[in-house]
Amino acid sequence: MPTSARWRNASSVQRRRSGSRRCCRDGLTGVWVAERKLASIGVGARHWVTLHGFALNVGADLGGFAHITPCGSGGVEMTSIAPEIGGAPPPSVEEMGALVLDQIRHVFAAFAARGES
């Protein structure tokens, strides 16, 4: 199994163990909470230049998504951390950045410990 697939699978298993609701939708990339898209992940190449990105919606204002088709997937409802945590104050972008970075370090350290790249 390619490393990227192992990483995605490990992340999915970790989310499921933590009690998170459905995190994937067949045939669509990103992180999902039930039928709502929480995070977007993209990779591409144009004119010999690779492009990649990751976007995690943190704040409560999702109004901007009303004007676009997220990731080219019509009929997708976007969500963010704020409405998904049940009324608790959402973490700041800086706090979420630190949490995401910590999880990325954890996953890559596990692969490094097993001698995978």
Side-chain angles (χ1 to χ4, degrees):
M1 179 184 302
T3 300
S4 61
R6 283 193 300 262
W7 180 42
R8 186 177 68 215
N9 186 51
S11 298
S12 295
V13 168
Q14 187 171 10
R15 281 190 300 273
R16 287 185 185 119
R17 286 182 184 156
S18 70
S20 145
R21 294 169 283 178
R22 186 175 176 199
C23 61
C24 306
R25 285 183 63 186
D26 291 338
L28 298 174
T29 60
V31 178
W32 300 79
V33 177
E35 298 298 316
R36 297 173 304 281
K37 190 169 189 176
L38 177 66
S40 300
I41 303 164
V43 178
R46 291 191 187 121
H47 306 290
W48 300 98
V49 176
T50 58
L51 311 164
H52 58 279
F54 168 77
L56 173 63
N57 303 321
V58 177
D61 182 9
L62 299 170
F65 290 110
H67 307 288
I68 65 168
T69 302
C71 297
S73 302
V76 171
E77 179 185 354
M78 299 300 291
T79 190
S80 71
I81 297 290
E84 298 298 334
I85 58 176
S92 69
V93 171
E94 292 77 16
E95 290 170 318
M96 280 308 303
L99 289 169
V100 168
L101 185 57
D102 184 57
Q103 287 300 305
I104 290 170
R105 285 182 183 138
H106 176 75
V107 169
F108 281 108
F111 287 133
R114 293 193 312 243
E116 299 177 18
S117 58

